Amino acid sequence: MDHGRQVFTVDLLERHAAKGHGVITCMAAGNDVIVIGTSKGWVIRHDFGGGDSHEFDLSVGRQGDQSIHRVFVDPGGCHCIATVVGQGGAETFYTHAKWTKPRVLSKLKGLVVNAVAWNRQQITEVSTKEVILGTDNGQLHELAVDEKDKKEKYIKFLYELTELAGALMGLQMETATVINEARYYVMAVTPTRLYSFTGFGSLETVFSSYLDRTVHFMELPGDIPNSELHFFIKQRRAVHFAWLSGAGIYHGGLNFGGQQSSSGNGNFIENKALLNYSKLSEGIEAVKPSSMALSEFHFLLLLENKVKVVNRISENIIEDLQFDQTSDSASKGIIGLCSDATAGLFYAYDQNSIFQVSINDEGQDMWKVYLDMKEYAASLANCRDPFQRDQVYLVQAEAAFSSKDYFRAASFYAKINCILSFEEVTLKFISAGEQDALRTFLLRKLDNLEKDDKCQITMISTWTTELYLDKINRLLLEDDSAVENNNSDYQSIIKEFRAFLSDSKDVLDETTTMKLLESYGRVEEMVYFASLKGQYEIVVHHYIQQGEAKRALEVLQKPSVPVDLQYKFAPDLIALDAYETVESWMATKNLNPRKLIPAMMRYSSEPHAKNETHEVIKYLEYCVHKLHNEDPGVHNLLLSLYAKQEDDSSLLRFLECKFGKGPDNGPEFFYDPKYALRLCLKEKRMRACVHIYSMMSMHEEAVALALQVDPELAMAEADKVEDDEDLRKKLWLMIAKHVVEQEKGTKRENIRMAIAFLKETDGLLKIEDILPFFPDFALIDDFKEAICSSLEDYNKQIEQLKEEMNDTTHGADNIRNDISALAQRCTVIDRDEECGVCRRKILNTGREFGMGRGFTSVGQMAPFYVFPCGHAFHAQCLIAHVTRCTVEDHAEYILDLQKQLTLISSEARRESNGNLALEVSIPSMTTIDKLRSQLDDAIASECPFCGDLMIREISLPFILPEEDQHVVSWEIKPNVGTQRNIPLPV
């Protein structure tokens, strides 16, 4: 402790605090409010926060001298309890900060209240909640007061000490939530005992439970003028306590809600200690304090008119507080001490004056106190800056180094940043020859360095790498068989080294580290580091050299490995372990099989056992079947491997099955048919050649080759041709010729075989087709039956043709009759029949419409059309309606026909007026009839009201796009400027 710095300072707060109402007998404080009791029965309340003062005379109505025995104030400074004693006995009063008159607690009449415990967690400004009162005869009572009621809610008796009766001198209460339920903790002291109560529910329930069980207490014999119990409150929670007892100051920590406190035995005290009073006196008889106050780290003890400050941890006296007393008060000295937990202040008082004791950062030097006591964890917890922490670490490190615990010393040295340089520490370990401890120091130093110190991190990491390699070599020198025998130390350091490389891969320089590993001959670790740095090529190459194809493939399968390495190492890997390599390829996505073809061809060129599974074929089948690969190179390689097998079943299945064909609307196959044909001919796979010829539509070659293999195959190929009857017949003739020429039996048997063959052709070939294949000297008797059958067939065909000719002639006659009937067809029109377009009568004269040119007039009537449905239209109206409603191209076609008719009719009239010869005008009239017929077809093929023209009009809009200008003209626009109100007559 720095004795030059004053932690506690004393200031005079009030000189004449009793204000002439006797002398001060007691005092309490809370939240900058001080309440004092006087020898004449007055209670004076000083509110230093509000700046006002109130005085209450509690002796009114009482006979004789009255004195205030004790006053109590809650932590918020609102609630006050005072006990007055005199000739008439004792009475207890309650007053609120807002009241002008205190209220007597009549149920406590005759009881001297020595102690009060407030419920700090639940008390409010308007309500005391539960308050425990301790009396001079060892009883505990519960009190609750609401300010608005102007009286107490209730006063209950809780408990009485019966085993060893004694006055209750101090009370404290705390609540805590344990397992989602509120729990009460109560401590009470008599001059010789400290009692602990705890339980769930109400206070009444808690204390009633002790009627059936033993109360937990601590007994310390000895006399004490004034036993006191104090809690130190931090953030509204009691942290530790102190009991001023006859044997000494019994103190410790408080653990509310812990395992021990939850067990129900009332023991919620931990780290207990007893400060013997002999430590407060220097060689003389121990003097017991008459009053005490408790701070976070110190006791304030009133000893014979002096206040000594004692460090609670070291138990050393650090200060003697001096008070500026008046001459009349100096004789009796300081009477007592009290504390204001809310404001963090302490007060001392004599008969007339109040002194304020302030604290100036009492924990500033506590780290040093704990350090002197070698309580390093507590010392570090109280350090305020890095320099203080370094001093704690240095003491720990030096102690460990002196005891030759080098690894522990290394850990502490690594935490020092200011007071000892990096070089000094490393030299200490090097001088001691402790390479392992030095490595530990470097590792811990790396953990403590900031990420921004990149240069220092890299240098230390590199040095650590070399120390690891040196350690590995030393283990190998000590035990040559460490690798083979799985030496535990060797395996442990290897594992640790690899973990270090993994953690430091981003800070180690790649080139330097690789050279270090190579220079020490640590190939395995070099490969491991290369994999960490993504140098997968080195890793894979190493595994291949070691013959470990599986491990190499595991590296290549990592997502971060470039796929190009798969292609680069494929030849070596498939040669080393074909099965594992192919399995790896099939498990790897995004591989291009085409780039693996060189490796597969190299593997396929090597000899293999007959019963050995061809791994390349397996992979290619996977590509074709599962991946639906369409690369011609892949299909060609698979086909070539099939062709080289002794059994051609796989080849034929490949050629015939679906996966050997191309996609819809694409090529018929993915492999090169010419290459496939050349390969199959070379390998003498004739059935495959036949199939390829057929796929290439070279049916004649396919049948010719099939006849060399199997006539049945040739017949099947001939039947494949369906759309070319001549070619099919030609193919069957090739087969027939082969059958006739290959039969080696007697002539009669050969003829029978040929006749049987004709039946297999399903009538495609006749006997006359195969007769040329027989020798000229063959007897016709052998063909008699077949020839007769053929002649009968011809006869049937002739009769069928005759029937068809008769049917055709009859049909032609019917058509002629229908044409003649159409020429005489007519319809009857009512004279009032109207045109469907203009609604005028059909039979009006042509002058009203302007006779249409190109039409034949009927007398004076205009030309018109009548449809079977009954609708009739003037010719001009029909043309106008159809051209308006039909599509643009059709309308232009109709207008063009009408224009041509008009021109030709005009020329015919001029020629007629010019007296031209009759024969000259005949061709012109023929042209007119042709054009009129075309026009009739264009406009009158169907009724415009009943046909497709009307149906198509359903989808047309009412307003066409070219009529948008009409829509604008229909819009209603309000004329704001000229708007008027027109009155309507009622």
Side-chain angles (χ1 to χ4, degrees):
M1 182 68 69
D2 185 1
H3 294 282
R5 186 179 65 86
Q6 194 170 7
V7 178
F8 292 84
T9 57
V10 178
D11 297 296
L12 176 64
L13 187 64
E14 187 79 21
R15 177 64 75 184
H16 301 287
K19 297 186 177 181
H21 300 300
V23 297
I24 300 174
T25 58
C26 56
M27 188 175 87
N31 196 24
D32 278 338
V33 173
I34 295 177
V35 178
I36 60 174
T38 70
S39 59
K40 292 185 179 182
W42 284 77
V43 172
I44 303 172
R45 184 179 186 275
H46 296 276
D47 187 352
F48 292 99
D52 58 355
S53 177
H54 299 282
E55 302 172 9
F56 304 96
D57 185 5
L58 302 185
S59 64
V60 176
R62 294 170 60 88
Q63 297 178 357
D65 295 334
Q66 305 294 323
S67 175
I68 302 299
H69 174 64
R70 290 285 174 86
V71 290
F72 309 95
V73 179
D74 77 292
C78 297
H79 308 281
C80 175
I81 295 174
T83 299
V84 60
V85 295
Q87 293 178 358
E91 277 191 319
T92 302
F93 292 82
Y94 167 84
T95 184
H96 191 271
K98 297 180 180 179
W99 293 3
T100 58
K101 182 180 180 181
R103 180 172 182 83
V104 65
L105 303 175
S106 57
K107 288 187 179 182
L108 299 176
K109 184 175 180 63
L111 297 177
V112 178
V113 177
N114 287 337
V116 171
W118 306 97
N119 189 342
R120 281 182 293 270
Q121 279 67 44
Q122 298 181 16
I123 193 170
T124 63
E125 183 180 350
V126 297
S127 176
T128 62
K129 299 300 181 181
E130 303 88 351
V131 181
I132 304 176
L133 308 178
T135 65
D136 197 40
N137 60 354
Q139 292 183 356
L140 293 174
H141 296 264
E142 180 183 355
L143 166 70
V145 181
D146 283 345
E147 184 270 334
K148 64 180 180 179
D149 296 335
K150 305 301 181 182
K151 65 178 182 178
E152 68 274 17
K153 291 178 67 176
Y154 59 82
I155 298 177
K156 299 177 184 178
F157 171 78
L158 292 178
Y159 192 77
E160 183 175 3
L161 301 177
T162 57
E163 181 185 350
L164 181 63
L168 288 169
M169 305 301 293
L171 270 176
Q172 293 289 346
M173 175 170 54
E174 192 77 11
T175 58
T177 301
V178 180
I179 318 176
N180 298 324
E181 190 174 0
R183 189 182 187 104
Y184 286 97
Y185 300 89
V186 179
M187 291 180 71
V189 296
T190 66
T192 58
R193 285 186 177 185
L194 183 148
Y195 293 90
S196 300
F197 304 89
T198 181
F200 294 99
S202 64
L203 282 173
E204 190 174 11
T205 305
V206 172
F207 282 97
S208 63
S209 67
Y210 283 96
L211 297 176
D212 302 326
R213 59 185 176 126
T214 306
V215 181
H216 185 275
F217 65 89
M218 174 72 180
E219 186 169 6
L220 293 175
D223 296 328
I224 187 79
N226 183 33
S227 181
E228 296 180 9
L229 176 65
H230 295 278
F231 277 6
F232 172 72
I233 309 301
K234 188 174 185 178
Q235 297 177 351
R236 298 189 65 184
R237 178 65 65 186
V239 178
H240 54 260
F241 78 98
W243 170 32
L244 186 64
S245 70
I249 300 175
Y250 182 68
H251 61 98
L254 295 172
N255 183 13
F256 302 114
Q259 185 174 0
Q260 287 186 339
S261 65
S262 302
S263 62
N265 59 8
N267 185 17
F268 42 84
I269 301 171
E270 57 187 14
N271 301 324
K272 296 169 283 190
L274 180 66
L275 174 61
N276 199 304
Y277 295 134
S278 61
K279 295 184 178 181
L280 306 179
S281 306
E282 298 177 358
I284 59 176
E285 184 180 354
V287 179
K288 297 179 181 180
S290 59
S291 185
M292 178 184 72
L294 177 65
S295 71
E296 185 174 6
F297 297 107
H298 298 88
F299 302 120
L300 279 73
L301 303 177
L302 179 58
L303 292 165
E304 296 180 340
N305 199 30
K306 295 181 181 178
V307 175
K308 293 182 179 292
V309 180
V310 180
N311 189 285
R312 184 172 59 85
I313 307 303
S314 65
E315 298 184 349
N316 294 327
I317 300 174
I318 63 166
E319 288 186 38
D320 286 333
L321 302 183
Q322 303 295 326
F323 299 92
D324 182 16
Q325 294 181 277
T326 59
S327 57
D328 56 340
S329 300
S331 59
K332 290 193 176 183
I334 302 298
I335 299 174
L337 300 172
C338 70
S339 62
D340 183 348
T342 306
L345 297 172
F346 297 92
Y347 299 98
Y349 57 94
D350 59 16
Q351 291 182 341
N352 296 307
S353 305
I354 301 174
F355 301 91
Q356 177 177 297
V357 181
S358 304
I359 306 175
N360 180 24
D361 192 8
E362 64 173 324
Q364 182 174 359
D365 296 324
M366 285 306 298
W367 70 273
K368 195 178 295 183
V369 173
Y370 283 114
L371 182 61
D372 293 339
M373 299 174 64
K374 297 185 179 180
E375 294 185 14
Y376 301 118
S379 178
L380 287 171
N382 286 275
C383 288
R384 303 289 181 84
D385 53 53
F387 180 78
Q388 293 176 0
R389 283 190 288 273
D390 279 0
Q391 287 184 298
V392 178
Y393 291 137
L394 180 60
V395 172
Q396 291 177 275
E398 295 293 346
F401 198 90
S402 300
S403 61
K404 297 187 178 181
D405 189 355
Y406 296 111
F407 290 100
R408 191 162 178 268
S411 298
F412 289 125
Y413 277 127
K415 296 178 181 180
I416 298 174
N417 297 314
C418 306
I419 62 176
L420 202 63
S421 67
F422 175 80
E423 292 79 7
E424 290 179 279
V425 177
T426 54
L427 284 173
K428 285 175 73 71
F429 287 111
I430 292 173
S431 302
E434 289 296 325
Q435 299 292 325
D436 295 341
L438 176 60
R439 187 179 72 251
T440 302
F441 168 72
L442 296 178
L443 289 170
R444 299 296 176 270
K445 195 68 179 176
L446 285 172
D447 294 338
N448 297 327
L449 285 174
E450 298 292 335
K451 291 183 179 180
D452 296 335
D453 301 330
K454 294 182 180 179
C455 183
Q456 190 173 1
I457 290 174
T458 300
M459 293 176 65
I460 295 176
S461 299
T462 305
W463 190 4
T464 306
T465 302
E466 190 165 11
L467 289 175
Y468 268 117
L469 293 170
D470 179 68
K471 174 65 175 178
I472 293 170
N473 275 6
R474 282 190 281 115
L475 287 175
L476 290 175
L477 289 173
E478 293 171 4
D479 184 3
D480 295 337
S481 59
V483 180
E484 292 79 7
N485 297 337
N486 291 325
N487 183 287
S488 59
D489 291 340
Y490 175 79
Q491 296 298 332
S492 176
I493 197 68
I494 289 293
K495 185 177 180 181
E496 185 181 332
F497 180 42
R498 291 195 174 193
F500 169 75
L501 290 176
S502 177
D503 294 339
S504 307
K505 65 180 183 297
D506 296 328
V507 297
L508 283 170
D509 180 69
E510 183 178 338
T511 305
T512 306
T513 307
M514 292 290 282
K515 286 181 179 179
L516 266 176
L517 294 169
E518 186 179 4
S519 64
Y520 276 85
R522 302 306 303 174
V523 179
E524 290 289 337
E525 283 67 38
M526 184 176 69
V527 171
Y528 177 75
F529 183 70
S531 66
L532 292 174
K533 297 297 288 184
Q535 297 294 336
Y536 300 110
E537 188 170 350
I538 297 174
V539 180
V540 176
H541 182 71
H542 169 75
Y543 286 140
I544 291 175
Q545 284 185 331
Q546 297 296 318
E548 298 181 7
K550 192 170 183 178
R551 297 186 67 180
L553 290 167
E554 288 174 356
V555 174
L556 291 173
Q557 283 181 331
K558 293 181 179 179
S560 56
V561 178
V563 72
D564 292 340
L565 292 183
Q566 289 270 17
Y567 309 131
K568 180 174 182 178
F569 291 106
D572 296 329
L573 287 170
I574 198 170
L576 191 61
D577 191 335
Y579 173 79
E580 292 292 344
T581 302
V582 168
E583 289 294 324
S584 173
W585 288 351
M586 290 193 294
T588 305
K589 297 180 180 179
N590 303 323
L591 269 184
N592 185 356
R594 184 180 184 85
K595 295 185 178 182
L596 297 172
I597 288 177
M600 291 188 284
M601 292 184 67
R602 177 178 170 183
Y603 171 77
S604 302
S605 64
E606 298 174 358
H608 300 281
K610 290 184 178 180
N611 58 350
E612 180 184 354
T613 303
H614 203 298
E615 298 298 332
V616 171
I617 292 179
K618 182 173 76 173
Y619 177 67
L620 292 173
E621 286 176 343
Y622 170 78
C623 294
V624 173
H625 278 289
K626 302 294 184 182
L627 303 181
H628 307 291
N629 187 277
E630 301 177 1
D631 192 291
V634 173
H635 286 255
N636 287 338
L637 179 57
L638 180 56
L639 189 145
S640 69
L641 295 177
Y642 281 146
K644 292 177 182 179
Q645 291 182 330
E646 293 183 2
D647 184 7
D648 63 351
S649 59
S650 299
L651 175 62
L652 292 174
R653 280 197 303 270
F654 177 75
L655 294 174
E656 294 171 1
C657 290
K658 187 178 293 185
F659 63 79
K661 304 291 182 65
D664 295 338
N665 302 322
E668 294 184 358
F669 31 74
F670 294 120
Y671 57 84
D672 184 356
K674 295 180 180 179
Y675 168 76
L677 181 61
R678 192 163 57 247
L679 182 67
C680 292
L681 288 172
K682 178 182 177 183
E683 299 293 337
K684 295 183 170 43
R685 306 298 178 195
M686 297 308 174
R687 288 183 177 272
C689 292
V690 171
H691 187 83
I692 295 170
Y693 274 132
S694 177
M695 288 172 54
M696 296 173 66
S697 299
M698 300 173 67
H699 300 289
E700 294 183 42
E701 290 81 355
V703 171
L705 186 58
L707 289 172
Q708 300 177 21
V709 180
D710 184 3
E712 293 294 333
L713 179 62
M715 294 179 190
E717 289 297 324
D719 276 338
K720 290 181 180 179
V721 180
E722 296 178 353
D723 53 350
D724 191 342
E725 195 69 22
D726 294 336
L727 176 59
R728 188 164 179 262
K729 186 173 183 180
K730 183 179 180 181
L731 297 176
W732 276 103
L733 285 173
M734 290 173 62
I735 300 171
K737 182 178 180 181
H738 177 79
V739 170
V740 172
E741 291 178 352
Q742 291 297 316
E743 293 298 336
K744 302 299 183 182
T746 62
K747 295 177 181 178
R748 190 171 296 275
E749 290 177 353
N750 290 350
I751 292 172
R752 289 198 188 98
M753 295 294 296
I755 298 303
F757 173 75
L758 285 178
K759 294 179 180 179
E760 294 182 11
T761 64
D762 294 331
L764 182 64
L765 297 184
K766 305 294 183 182
I767 186 65
E768 60 269 25
D769 295 325
I770 65 171
L771 282 176
F773 303 145
F774 288 93
D776 294 338
F777 49 82
L779 292 176
I780 196 169
D781 293 342
D782 298 325
F783 300 100
K784 180 179 179 180
E785 184 178 351
I787 292 173
C788 290
S789 176
S790 180
L791 290 175
E792 289 177 0
D793 290 341
Y794 279 125
N795 189 40
K796 290 179 182 178
Q797 292 179 12
I798 291 171
E799 292 298 327
Q800 186 176 359
L801 287 174
K802 285 181 179 180
E803 290 179 2
E804 291 177 357
M805 290 174 63
N806 291 333
D807 293 340
T808 303
T809 303
H810 182 68
D813 292 340
N814 291 335
I815 292 172
R816 289 190 192 96
N817 294 333
D818 290 342
I819 294 173
S820 299
L822 285 172
Q824 303 299 322
R825 188 179 61 174
C826 65
T827 185
V828 178
I829 301 176
D830 190 273
R831 65 179 181 177
D832 294 327
E833 183 72 30
E834 294 180 349
C835 172
V837 176
C838 69
R839 312 310 297 176
R840 296 181 183 180
K841 293 182 179 180
I842 288 292
L843 301 180
N844 280 348
T845 59
R847 287 189 300 273
E848 297 180 16
F849 296 93
M851 186 75 68
R853 295 178 180 178
F855 290 93
T856 304
S857 63
V858 183
Q860 295 300 317
M861 290 187 295
F864 60 88
Y865 289 90
V866 180
F867 293 93
C869 61
H871 290 113
F873 303 89
H874 291 120
Q876 291 297 329
C877 294
L878 182 61
I879 292 172
H881 178 73
V882 172
T883 54
R884 183 175 67 254
C885 297
T886 191
V887 295
E888 185 177 353
D889 293 341
H890 190 59
E892 291 179 355
Y893 172 68
I894 293 171
L895 294 174
D896 184 58
L897 290 175
Q898 191 180 22
K899 183 178 180 181
Q900 292 182 45
L901 276 172
T902 304
L903 291 174
I904 294 175
S905 297
S906 300
E907 291 176 0
R909 281 197 297 273
R910 285 198 304 271
E911 291 171 357
S912 175
N913 294 333
N915 297 322
L916 293 176
L918 181 61
E919 60 272 10
V920 178
S921 63
I922 290 174
S924 176
M925 294 304 293
T926 303
T927 304
I928 290 174
D929 293 339
K930 184 178 180 180
L931 289 173
R932 186 179 293 115
S933 176
Q934 293 177 0
L935 183 61
D936 289 343
D937 292 339
I939 64 173
S941 60
E942 60 180 0
C943 176
F945 287 177
C946 303
D948 292 338
L949 190 65
M950 180 60 71
I951 294 172
R952 285 197 299 270
E953 286 188 353
I954 294 175
S955 61
L956 296 177
F958 288 110
I959 301 173
L960 298 176
E962 57 269 18
E963 298 175 338
D964 287 344
Q965 67 275 11
H966 298 298
V967 177
V968 177
S969 66
W970 295 341
E971 290 182 356
I972 299 175
K973 300 179 179 178
N975 193 348
V976 180
T978 60
Q979 186 174 359
R980 316 184 279 177
N981 292 327
I982 301 175
L984 297 175
V986 179

